[in-house]
Amino acid sequence: TKSNTEGFPHNLIELLDGFKASKTLFIASKLGVFDILNGESLTVKEIANRINASVLGTEKLLDAAVSIGLLQKLKCLDDEPVYRNTEQARQFLVSFSPQSLHSYVLHCNDMIWPLFTHLEDAVREGTNQREKAFGKKSENVFQDVYCKNHDVMMRFMNAMHSIAKITGRDVATAFDLSRFRTACDVGGCTGAMAYEFTKAHPNLSVTVFDLPAVVEMKSHFQPIEQDRRVSFVAGDFFKDDLPKADLYILARILHDWSDEKVHELLSNLSATCTLGCGLLLAEILLDEEKTRPSRAQLQALSMTEGKQRSATEYSNLMKKHGFSPVHTQYTNNLLDVMLFVKDNQA
Ligand code: SAM
């Protein structure tokens, strides 16, 4: 018989368990479960042995991962059951797969999770909780945290790289960019996004502009087949001259900064732009009521000094610097895209 569950708060029960599911994904990734199951089906004991963990704990972790669709469990007659990756785990969770999100998963576990354990204080105080979470006060997370420690920087760059690799193609192909010959990816990090742009646009060259400590590490992230149309310049986008280009790309940059800092950056950028220059913005765009998508609103709770904005809010910021919106594309991907053109000397 079917029980009557009308009115039962399924969504609330799912939310109550949400953090357990996230942590299952984080820890299975951190312990290397998806890597050792790459192309193999193994028993609990074999997996526990390889990840150097207890059999009991490993079994619970694996069964939890099966229950949320990350692994499959197969049982043949009297044999011990074996576990294997789902197709999605093979594609996105194995650390060495081309589209791997492994580094971003670790970033969520190591950098974002500790901030969210202090959410109550963050809300009461209206500030990010980096000092409580990591023992260090920091005004500017890029300069004060990432650039100060090689391992932390590598982890951050790996995380950015993995997201840029899976979103870059849709960002690069959102609009017809054939009239542009040179682009500057402002805050372009490892160059992953720049490579997607040169792949999609055979006549485009892209200069990646980022902090010196980031540019120094670029060799760790270059694809085997390097493209001479991608180059790197080090500097600070608030103060230094930006490389000359026909098109400027701002991907996942502005949401990190207050309106005041965004104006600083845009006035620097606007100063190097001639009329007709393009500006391509890639961000999660809030709807005009600013209630969705929840992905943007949940990200905002980490309380960086920045904020999530709607297309109208981004357009208003841009207009003050002489850029008018030309196209907006809401993708089904992690990033929406807007194209602006510089049409007056603000
Ligand atoms: N655009 C890349 C992407 O979409 O994958 C990376 C986005 S990441 C959230 C922000 C980037 O801005 C980092 O690479 C960081 O180093 C860079 N950045 C932060 N402050 C900067 C500054 N003052 N000057 C230049 N780059 C900066």
Side-chain angles (χ1 to χ4, degrees), residues 127-253:
T127 57
N128 82 70
Q129 298 294 309
R130 273 185 226 120
E131 188 171 6
K132 277 202 198 91
F134 304 113
K136 255 196 237 141
K137 203 172 167 58
S138 60
E139 295 297 323
N140 177 330
V141 68
F142 299 105
Q143 309 267 18
D144 302 340
V145 181
Y146 298 133
C147 291
K148 291 275 152 69
N149 176 317
H150 179 271
D151 292 347
V152 175
M153 175 64 103
M154 276 302 274
R155 200 168 47 194
F156 168 73
M157 289 182 72
N158 268 309
M160 294 304 108
H161 194 70
S162 63
I163 294 290
K165 269 195 311 183
I166 65 160
T167 56
R169 194 171 181 283
D170 286 346
V171 171
T173 56
F175 309 117
D176 177 5
L177 302 177
S178 54
R179 74 184 178 87
F180 301 111
R181 291 285 170 271
T182 53
C184 172
D185 190 3
V186 182
C189 204
T190 66
M193 190 71 87
Y195 273 96
E196 292 300 333
F197 273 77
T198 54
K199 248 189 265 167
H201 305 285
N203 296 321
L204 189 72
S205 301
V206 185
T207 308
V208 177
F209 183 88
D210 211 300
L211 294 166
V214 173
V215 172
E216 247 169 53
M217 314 257 260
K218 69 176 195 298
S219 58
H220 295 279
F221 298 94
Q222 297 319 296
I224 299 163
E225 272 190 41
Q226 294 203 11
D227 185 338
R228 296 230 305 270
R229 287 180 294 138
V230 175
S231 56
F232 287 79
V233 170
D236 180 333
F237 54 46
F238 292 117
K239 300 197 260 216
D240 296 327
D241 288 343
L242 294 167
K244 284 263 175 254
D246 311 327
L247 173 72
Y248 288 85
I249 301 163
L250 285 171
R252 293 192 292 160
I253 301 297

Side-chain angles (χ1 to χ4, degrees), residues 241-298:
D241 288 343
L242 294 167
K244 284 263 175 254
D246 311 327
L247 173 72
Y248 288 85
I249 301 163
L250 285 171
R252 293 192 292 160
I253 301 297
L254 299 190
H255 73 266
D256 276 329
W257 305 102
S258 63
D259 286 357
E260 210 178 24
K261 295 296 271 184
V262 168
H263 283 307
E264 235 178 271
L265 196 171
L266 290 180
S267 76
N268 190 21
L269 197 155
S270 175
T272 59
C273 282
T274 47
L275 289 180
C277 254
L279 199 169
L280 189 137
L281 177 80
E283 291 283 356
I284 309 172
L285 296 176
L286 287 180
D287 63 15
E288 293 304 329
E289 289 77 41
K290 301 218 274 174
T291 54
R292 280 177 201 283
S294 64
R295 204 161 20 88
Q297 300 294 19
L298 294 174

